[in-house]
Amino acid sequence: MSVWHILIQVTLISSTFLISSSQGAVAPKKRCQSPAVAPHRIEKVIAECQDEIKLAILQEALDDLEESTALLTARKKRQIFSDDERRIAGCLLQCVYRKVRAVDESGLPTREGLVRLYAEGVREHGYYLATDEASQQCLQLAHQHRLRSEPSGKQSCDLAYDIFECISNKISEYCSGSD
């Protein structure tokens, strides 16, 4: 799989919170409305993080090429979202969390930081509450997972992705429900 293909996938993943979570169906009044776009500052941070990850991926690709060109030519096209792609997306998210100071001293995202990040510029109280509750629940799950597993350098990227996915799903569930 090409480095550019992976970067495109990361860009698509990082843009998921830029898109409204509407399902297209007409439903009863929703509890809250997800913002249609992310704040400009977050878009800028995402672009910076994407550039950092691009450089890291390119360096890794060059290193791999030196080690084994046969391995690179034998790769087949991706059929599903791979663990590596998921990890790259998680590393992008962890970079964003770090750059907007949404992590504690150990690198784990904080509830306050996540709420500030995901609810920035949102004036709707229901969305803010959903973000706060989702952040609390997802961080509790991440903390439990972290206690059960062996620490590794890849763990922060994996946890960042899991937290993002968890929060996105919970906000979507809450906001798409009716009063």
Side-chain angles (χ1 to χ4, degrees):
M1 174 185 338
S2 75
V3 171
W4 298 115
H5 183 73
I6 292 171
L7 289 174
I8 290 169
Q9 291 295 322
V10 169
T11 301
L12 290 173
I13 289 170
S14 66
S15 299
T16 57
F17 73 91
L18 301 175
I19 299 171
S20 175
S21 64
S22 66
Q23 303 297 319
V26 176
K29 182 180 176 191
K30 294 183 178 183
R31 292 182 184 147
C32 57
Q33 182 66 37
S34 299
V37 296
H40 179 67
R41 182 178 73 89
I42 300 304
E43 291 176 1
K44 183 179 175 191
V45 170
I46 288 171
E48 289 173 10
C49 290
Q50 286 173 330
D51 289 342
E52 287 180 20
I53 291 172
K54 284 178 197 176
L55 292 174
I57 290 170
L58 289 173
Q59 184 59 51
E60 184 179 325
L62 288 173
D63 294 344
D64 287 347
L65 184 61
E66 290 172 3
E67 290 177 22
S68 175
T69 56
L71 177 62
L72 290 174
T73 57
R75 286 187 178 178
K76 293 184 178 178
K77 218 175 183 181
R78 173 182 66 86
Q79 297 299 319
I80 59 171
F81 196 63
S82 74
D83 289 340
D84 288 339
E85 290 168 327
R86 184 180 164 100
R87 181 156 297 130
I88 290 168
C91 289
L92 172 65
L93 288 163
Q94 183 64 22
C95 178
V96 170
Y97 294 160
R98 188 182 72 250
K99 286 191 177 273
V100 299
R101 296 185 178 111
V103 295
D104 62 17
E105 59 280 348
S106 68
L108 186 66
T110 64
R111 178 180 179 183
E112 297 80 14
L114 292 171
V115 172
R116 189 175 60 246
L117 172 67
Y118 291 120
E120 182 178 327
V122 175
R123 300 199 194 297
E124 188 176 6
H125 189 65
Y127 185 84
Y128 181 87
L129 291 175
T131 303
D132 186 52
E133 182 68 24
S135 297
Q136 178 183 357
Q137 292 173 3
C138 296
L139 283 171
Q140 286 175 341
L141 290 171
H143 183 68
Q144 292 169 358
H145 179 268
R146 192 176 211 189
L147 293 175
R148 287 192 307 257
S149 64
E150 289 291 320
S152 73
K154 298 173 182 176
Q155 186 181 35
S156 64
C157 294
D158 294 342
L159 279 174
Y161 185 87
D162 291 344
I163 290 169
F164 168 77
E165 186 175 53
C166 178
I167 289 172
S168 297
N169 290 341
K170 288 189 178 297
I171 290 172
S172 180
E173 286 172 17
Y174 179 83
C175 288
S176 63
S178 57
D179 288 330

